[in-house]
Amino acid sequence: MRLLGPIDVVVGGETRPVQGLRRKAVLAVLGLHAGEVVSTGRLVDLVWDGAPPPNAVNALQSHLSYLRRTLSDKGVVRLRPPGYVLDVGAEGTDVAVAERLISAGLQDRDDGNRARDLQRALDLWRGEPMADAIGVTWLEEQAQRLGQLWLQGKRALLQARLGLGQHAALLPELAQLTREHPFDEQLHGQLMLALYRMGRQADALAAFQRLRRTLRDDLGIEPGAALRELESAMLRQDAGLDPPAAPVRLAPEREPRAPAGTVPAQIPLAVRTFAGRAGQLARLDALLPAGWAPPGAAVFVAVVSGTAGVGKSALAVYWAHRVADRFPDGQLYVNLRGFDPGDRPMPPADAVRGFLDALGVPSERVPADLAGLSGLLRSQLAGKRVLILLDNARDAEQVRPLLPAAPGCLVVVTSRDPLTSLVAIEGAVPVPVDLLTDAEARDLLVSRLGARRVAAEPAAVERIVTCCARLPLALAVVAGRAATRPELPLSALADELGVRRSTLDAIAGSDPASDARAVFSWSYRSLSPAAAEVLRRMSLGPGADLGIDAVAALAGVTTAAARAGLAELDRAGLVMEQRPGRYTFHDLLRAYATELAETTDGEAVRAAAVHRLLEHYLATAQAAAQQLDPARDPAPRAARHPAIAVPAPPREQAQAWFADEHRALLAAVGLAAGRGLDEHTWRLAAAMTTFLDWRGQWQELVSIQEAALRALRRLGDRPGQGAASCELGQVYARIGRFDEAHQYLWTALCLFEQLDDAPGLARAHYHLAWLQHAQRKYREALSHSEQALELFERLGDKLWRARALNATGWIMGQLGDYADALRRCGDALVENREAGDRHGEAGTWDAVGYAHHRLGDPRQAVACYGHALRAYRELGDRSGQACVLCHLGDAHAAIGDAAAAAEAWRHSLDILDELDPAQAATVRAKLPSGSPGPPTTVRG
């Protein structure tokens, strides 16, 4: 029996859902008292939240009969006066197993044993405990307790893994957890210790100062004694903080290899207050009968259709979470924005590219045309079990390119349109969604307000349901208002809602969704002025969602004030936290907020808000980009709004920030271009280049650099045009489109020559060298690299001189002059270190290793490749790791260590199978014969 997520049972390996809130509540109450007798009176009181109906005992017996049938064993739920007992053994519930494992982990003094037990416990959580039993007060309290149990186990697991010396692997997770729990001192202490053990004392101390500011600003307190002592120990470099001699691995001696592909899990968070829709859920469940196996000639497609605000997306997401475990190859999700009032529908090609990226397809394999994209997606999905949720589709033509061809996958489409052609031609199953019934509407209010409060005022509840036209979105907004005012009678809320409705009758139409405007107006007027302003400003933001800092920039307030405003809007049901720290709202609410912004705020106010947002994105993106690669130009300029001051984040946080924000940043480039803000357009594009380059998102990089080039042409900025042309040439070279790369790079070269721009000219020669190298034109490549080197020397640019020197050495090695290659690359390595260019240092170690290998010293090459591999791992550059691992295998093979060579090549393949299948085939060919084969690629 599983409670650590949606409530269900597993019988003989088969997952069986439990239908109905009260049935789930009965099972959950008994499950949380497994092996104990629960009296009938207490069971009735807990299940009906202290307000049982007159026939509660008869209803309870009916629910118990249903549960016995579901469990296929009448003896599991036993009658034992004065009540009932669930007899499932000591570990018949996931809660019991988790509690035992966490207790054992907390008591065990061996870090290895502790970590194993705690990890097994945390793996049992499938989401929020009892997520589909909201509205039953006692179960909500138990869910909070289990949430705290998870956090306790997570903290203990992290501490155990730190004790095992796994600080490097924990850094990304700790950075994310401290963002989600900004006041948790233990998690911040663990982050500090991990950073310190990585040799990053300054970053560890900066993390302490950030927490201190947060605690002071938001809570008015100082960090506790334990954290202050940790800071002091770091300042005096206490030996007790040093890591173990070597990290301890928890995996078995022969660790299984990870699968070559990527398993996506993109379904958004389920709505906590989901209620009703039993008929629609049953219709969807019918696609997955017990023992389901896809028929040989069918791909199941369901079309969930209905009016705006009727709950289509909530239904689809809720059901998707219920059946996600039946799709071991992953779940894909995209919002197609078919009816988004603030944006055009998403082109199918963009949606396919997003899916291919989620499936780990290297960008260089992604075609440009829609037909090629669709074909590649179908090939990737063939033979797999993937759930695909296409949300908010405009029409069938937007959907068809996203459909798989082979059986095994299931597609759920939501749309305001019934998509009849999809039903007729593709055989899609229609799942129409109408307004809630009166009973379902009441259940929705119960799920938010509790059964006792709803039962106390039935007449007021009926009036609220009528005023909201049984529209789920409107009911959720009203429930949000009522939940924030527990002292206010529901009758008073119904009276207020009725008055608001009467004043808006003139704009209400035949569409039930039009009545939502009255509900929104009523809820909006109850907001504090600050929260109301946040709502209006959010409508101006680009992209599907916004982070808290972006909301603060739009509203022109502090982060703490933005967080408070968002919390008020969330409680009122006007926005939703789609994932931690990121907020969005329904398209009806977005349209309403846009109307408010246009009627309440003048054009100058709206323009100033957009300008602040773009300044925020630009300042933060530039600071983050400098952390990823200090060689990138242009250097950040100061933000032009006094409220925007962005400190440079640590490197791993810069990566995480870009990962969270890059879609919003892409939209911001379009927003800036559309408003004629050309400087923001090109600067944002420049700041995103490193992240998109290292991620291999070539199409997006081409798109924003072309927008940047157009903006720079409008500005008449010829040096900028040359720089953008260089970037475009570089990305086209990476994806093998050499003609376009040559055209852009020669355009840049000629432009810089006309301008007598030596730095630009040097960069153009440098990129032309790598283009010619990629085409195996080594003499031409050497000419360009030497010209770049001479110019960088003349300019005194130490960082770029080191990179050009390494490029020259590598190319000389390709021409057979290994001794000179080693000399030049060795000099470049010294200069890389002096310039603090860690990425350049990684590539240079690789080149030095190559030279040693070709000069007959493969053992020295192995040592050099080890330095390169550590640097690339520290930077998170997987492509660089794959390249070095391939070279490392070659060197081991030359020594005669076939086992070490095969291990390095296999590790390289683990990465290349995802990033570059063509190169993977080359490496895979080495394995049968163990032939050393000289390395053929290098990172520039």
Side-chain angles (χ1 to χ4, degrees), residues 520-535:
F520 300 158
S521 172
W522 168 76
S523 189
Y524 172 76
R525 292 171 186 271
S526 71
L527 296 173
S528 67
E533 185 174 359
V534 168
L535 181 68

Side-chain angles (χ1 to χ4, degrees), residues 38 57 145 154 174 189 191 231 290 297 338 363 402 461 467 502 508 520 704 789 794 810 932:
V38 182
V57 174
R145 176 184 70 82
K154 174 60 75 172
L174 281 167
L191 173 63
E231 182 203 31
S363 295
L402 305 174
V461 168
C467 287
S502 65
F520 300 158
I704 63 169
L789 178 60
R794 191 186 309 162
W810 171 258

